[in-house]
């Protein structure tokens, strides 16, 4: 990990120490190396500082190192130190993209001034890069987490906040609410270089759990004919997604807890401890706190996983998103199946809005595909769906109306009740009934 502002690569110890002292006088954090080979291997594209390198070095020379750095990050400022006989070479390096060159011997004040200008350029470049990533993420997040309801607006904000923080996350939500989609987006937005590794804890027999998560060496048990890398080790520098974490056997929970605390793993049949850098995102549809009270889930594991949590709203609590989601899923299915999407009539939307959606977004996606294929069953199929419940339709409309008025009044209950010409207590009752989130500003 590079935690300095400037890397000075100079084989002449006196010159190297002079550079470091000059920068220290200007409160610039710098570290020196006598050869390129001694510089720690790190992702230079993420390095917020600059490089100062002599042209003539033992081993890899400064120009070769500069070419290598330029390939990895063309925006990284590199200052070349040169002797009198190397000026022509240094000038060519500047034409090739080096930030500047300094001829030996040089004044410490001049050196520090060039470094400060290069650092400012690097700071601006990194800020532009950050803003571009943020803008790209903002556009992408709305295409992946679809909806305009207050619950979804808040969800998108929370996901963006947590993505950049390398803490473990717990995702709570009913079946079909999109827990894996949120986990994948957290990983994609985090910038972690390793893979996204998903494991469904409810889909594995207990006898295979330990080998699947931790891996094994050849001969560790009967049938283990060759080495296997486990999910934890495979997720190094990436994200491990544990779906249906409530289904994990109790015997495995204590072993997982140790891995989470120590960030090391041991394969079955091995005594070798392997350090692993990974982020855990766990998902559950159950109340883990209640399960821990009942002795069905370890409370220490629950608290270890639940550092930050994301609660996904069921579709019935954000019915205003159904038309947009349905159209989105129909378009997706049309592209995948190479079909022309049929028109979505008002009657279809009313039918969809009235349905309770026990399978949540997953059920709606399946129904969108059935609609595209013209299969006449289920809500929103136009034919064979039966009469729409008047009560459900009225409640859906009323809920949307209240949410819009709350949004218009910035979450203020009194002003919303006055605008809707109903008693404040009546409005409170309806907010509780429809489980409407209030965000007052």
């Amino acid at each position: 990990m590079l935690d300095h502002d400037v890397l000075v690569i100079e084989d002449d110890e006196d010159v190297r120490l002079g550079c470091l002292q000059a920068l220290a006088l200007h409160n610039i954090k710098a570290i020196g190396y006598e050869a390129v080979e001694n510089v720690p291997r790190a992702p230079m594209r993420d390095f917020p500082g600059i490089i100062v390198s002599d042209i003539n070095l033992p081993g890899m020379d400064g120009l070769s190192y500069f070419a290598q750095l330029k390939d990895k990050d063309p925006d990284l400022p590199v200052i070349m130190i040169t002797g009198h006989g190397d000026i022509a070479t240094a000038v060519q390096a500047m034409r090739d993209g080096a930030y500047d060159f300094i001829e030996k011997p040089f004044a410490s004040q001049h050196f520090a001034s060039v470094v400060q200008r290069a650092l400012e350029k690097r700071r601006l470049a990194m800020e532009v890069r950050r803003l571009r990533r943020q803008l790209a993420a903002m556009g992408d997040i709305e295409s992946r987490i679809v909806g305009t309801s207050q619950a979804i607006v808040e969800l998108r904000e929370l996901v963006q906040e947590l993505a950049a923080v390398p803490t473990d996350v717990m995702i709570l939500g009913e079946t079909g609410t999109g827990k894996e989609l949120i986990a994948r987006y957290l990983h994609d937005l985090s910038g972690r270089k390793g893979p996204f590794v998903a494991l469904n804890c409810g889909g594995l027999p207990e006898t295979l759990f330990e080998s699947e998560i931790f891996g094994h060496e050849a001969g560790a048990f009967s049938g283990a004919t060759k080495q296997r890398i486990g999910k934890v080790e495979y997720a190094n520098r990436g994200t491990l997604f544990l779906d249906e974490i409530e289904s994990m056997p109790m015997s495995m929970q204590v072993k997982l807890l140790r891995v989470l605390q120590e960030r090391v793993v041991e394969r079955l049949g091995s005594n070798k401890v392997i350090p692993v850098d990974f982020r855990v995102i766990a998902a559950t549809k159950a109340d883990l706190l209640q399960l821990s009270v009942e002795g069905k889930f370890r409370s220490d594991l629950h608290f270890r996983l639940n550092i930050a949590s994301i609660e996904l709203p069921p579709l019935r609590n954000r019915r205003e998103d159904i038309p947009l989601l349905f159209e989105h899923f129909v378009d997706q299915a049309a592209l995948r199946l190479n079909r022309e999407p049929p028109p979505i009539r008002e009657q279809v939307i009313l039918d969809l809005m009235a349905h309770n959606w026990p399978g949540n977004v997953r059920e709606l996606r399946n129904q969108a595909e059935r609609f595209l294929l013209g299969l006449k069953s289920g809500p929103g199929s136009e034919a064979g769906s039966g009469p729409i419940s008047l009560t459900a339709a009225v409640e859906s409309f009323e809920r949307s109306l209240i949410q819009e008025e709350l949004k218009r009044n910035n979450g203020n209950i009194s002003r919303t009740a006055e605008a809707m010409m109903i008693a404040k207590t009546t409005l409170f009752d309806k907010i509780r009934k429809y489980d409407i989130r209030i965000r007052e500003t």
Side-chain angles (χ1 to χ4, degrees), residues 72 125 129 260 300 306 427:
K72 293 178 180 177
R129 190 178 294 174
L260 295 180
D300 48 4
N306 198 27
L427 180 58

Side-chain angles (χ1 to χ4, degrees), residues 27 58 61 67 76 119 179 251 313 384 390 405 419:
N27 296 316
D61 63 79
L76 178 63
L119 282 171
K179 295 187 286 293
S251 60
L390 178 62
E405 200 59 47

Side-chain angles (χ1 to χ4, degrees), residues 165-425:
V165 182
T167 188
D168 296 337
V169 177
M170 177 75 76
I171 302 176
L172 313 168
E174 296 178 6
T175 297
T177 49
K179 295 187 286 293
E180 184 166 350
L181 180 145
I182 298 299
R184 284 185 179 276
Y185 195 72
L186 281 168
H187 170 75
D188 292 345
L189 204 59
S190 70
R192 297 186 71 84
K193 306 299 183 184
F196 177 87
V197 181
L199 177 67
N200 189 320
C201 299
L204 276 178
E206 187 170 351
T207 52
L208 296 178
F209 232 103
E210 192 164 4
S211 173
E212 188 71 19
I213 292 182
F214 305 130
H216 63 252
E217 298 290 351
F221 52 85
S222 177
T225 56
K226 59 181 180 179
Q227 185 189 76
R228 177 184 175 84
I229 302 298
K231 297 290 188 184
V232 172
E233 190 176 347
Y234 186 62
N236 188 37
R237 300 183 68 206
T239 301
L240 178 65
F241 175 56
L242 299 174
D243 198 9
E244 297 186 29
I245 187 72
E246 73 277 6
S247 303
M248 180 173 284
M250 291 289 283
S251 60
M252 289 303 304
Q253 291 179 26
V254 65
K255 295 177 181 178
L256 176 64
L257 180 62
R258 178 179 177 271
V259 171
L260 295 180
Q261 289 172 336
E262 305 296 333
R263 273 347 195 223
V264 296
V265 66
E266 292 180 36
R267 300 188 196 121
L268 286 176
S270 172
N271 294 322
K272 183 181 178 182
V273 175
I274 304 169
V276 189
D277 169 24
F278 66 104
R279 182 187 200 179
V280 172
I281 300 177
T284 181
K285 60 181 180 291
D287 184 344
L288 293 185
L289 191 58
Q290 181 59 38
L291 289 180
S292 65
V293 170
E294 296 171 3
K296 297 177 181 177
F297 196 87
R298 290 186 64 95
S299 58
D300 48 4
L301 179 57
H302 169 240
F303 292 126
R304 182 64 184 78
L305 289 169
N306 198 27
I307 297 172
S309 62
I310 297 175
E311 189 169 354
L312 305 186
L315 189 55
R316 63 182 174 275
N317 287 353
R318 56 179 187 111
R319 292 180 188 271
E320 62 270 41
D321 289 333
I322 289 174
L324 184 61
L325 275 167
F326 188 71
E327 183 180 2
H328 174 72
F329 291 144
V330 168
D331 289 343
Q332 279 190 333
L335 285 172
R336 190 174 67 255
L337 301 175
N338 196 25
R339 289 196 173 209
E340 189 68 27
I344 304 173
R345 298 185 175 87
E346 185 179 0
Q347 184 70 21
V348 173
I349 297 299
L350 288 173
D351 195 3
L352 295 170
M353 297 282 281
H355 188 61
N356 201 41
W357 300 108
N360 291 292
V361 178
R362 184 183 296 135
E363 183 185 357
L364 181 64
R365 183 190 292 110
N366 292 343
Q367 190 56 37
E369 190 162 328
R370 294 178 67 83
F371 173 80
L372 179 74
L373 296 172
L375 301 177
K376 308 297 184 182
S377 64
S381 59
E382 293 191 282
S385 58
I388 301 169
S389 164
L390 178 62
T391 302
V394 169
E395 286 182 347
S396 175
F397 176 74
E398 187 176 49
R399 185 177 190 275
S400 297
L401 195 64
I402 292 171
Q403 285 186 311
E404 284 302 312
E405 200 59 47
L406 279 167
K407 188 176 181 180
R408 192 175 295 114
N409 289 284
N410 296 320
N412 187 287
I413 299 291
S414 299
R415 289 203 302 268
T416 301
E418 184 179 344
M420 299 188 75
M421 294 182 287
I422 59 175
K424 193 174 177 179
T425 52

Side-chain angles (χ1 to χ4, degrees), residues 41-236:
R41 295 187 178 275
M44 287 297 180
R45 185 165 179 79
D46 300 324
F47 177 47
I50 68 165
I51 307 293
V52 177
S53 176
D54 194 358
I55 289 180
N56 294 311
L57 291 168
M60 179 182 285
D61 63 79
L63 289 177
S64 299
Y65 186 48
F66 163 63
Q68 189 181 89
L69 292 170
K70 185 183 173 186
D71 284 341
K72 293 178 180 177
D73 186 355
D75 296 329
L76 178 63
V78 177
I79 299 170
M80 309 302 300
I81 297 177
T82 176
H84 179 70
D86 296 320
I87 290 179
T89 305
V91 170
Q92 184 58 48
M94 285 190 64
R95 289 176 182 154
D96 291 338
Y99 177 77
D100 205 343
F101 74 90
I102 300 177
E103 184 183 359
K104 298 178 186 176
F106 48 82
S108 60
Q109 182 61 43
H110 172 64
F111 172 70
S113 178
V114 174
V115 166
Q116 285 175 323
R117 290 198 303 270
L119 282 171
E120 179 61 17
K121 180 183 179 182
R122 183 60 168 172
R123 186 191 67 78
L124 291 172
M126 296 297 283
E127 179 66 11
V128 168
R129 190 178 294 174
R130 184 189 68 80
L131 290 173
R132 282 175 178 164
R133 277 199 302 258
Q134 192 175 44
L135 286 171
M138 286 172 66
D140 189 39
I141 197 169
E142 290 184 3
S143 68
R144 291 171 70 172
I145 306 177
V146 178
T148 58
S149 64
Q150 189 62 38
I152 290 302
V153 170
E154 292 177 5
L155 174 62
R156 283 197 289 259
E157 291 176 357
L158 181 57
V159 167
Q160 286 181 299
E161 287 174 9
L162 291 179
V165 182
T167 188
D168 296 337
V169 177
M170 177 75 76
I171 302 176
L172 313 168
E174 296 178 6
T175 297
T177 49
K179 295 187 286 293
E180 184 166 350
L181 180 145
I182 298 299
R184 284 185 179 276
Y185 195 72
L186 281 168
H187 170 75
D188 292 345
L189 204 59
S190 70
R192 297 186 71 84
K193 306 299 183 184
F196 177 87
V197 181
L199 177 67
N200 189 320
C201 299
L204 276 178
E206 187 170 351
T207 52
L208 296 178
F209 232 103
E210 192 164 4
S211 173
E212 188 71 19
I213 292 182
F214 305 130
H216 63 252
E217 298 290 351
F221 52 85
S222 177
T225 56
K226 59 181 180 179
Q227 185 189 76
R228 177 184 175 84
I229 302 298
K231 297 290 188 184
V232 172
E233 190 176 347
Y234 186 62
N236 188 37

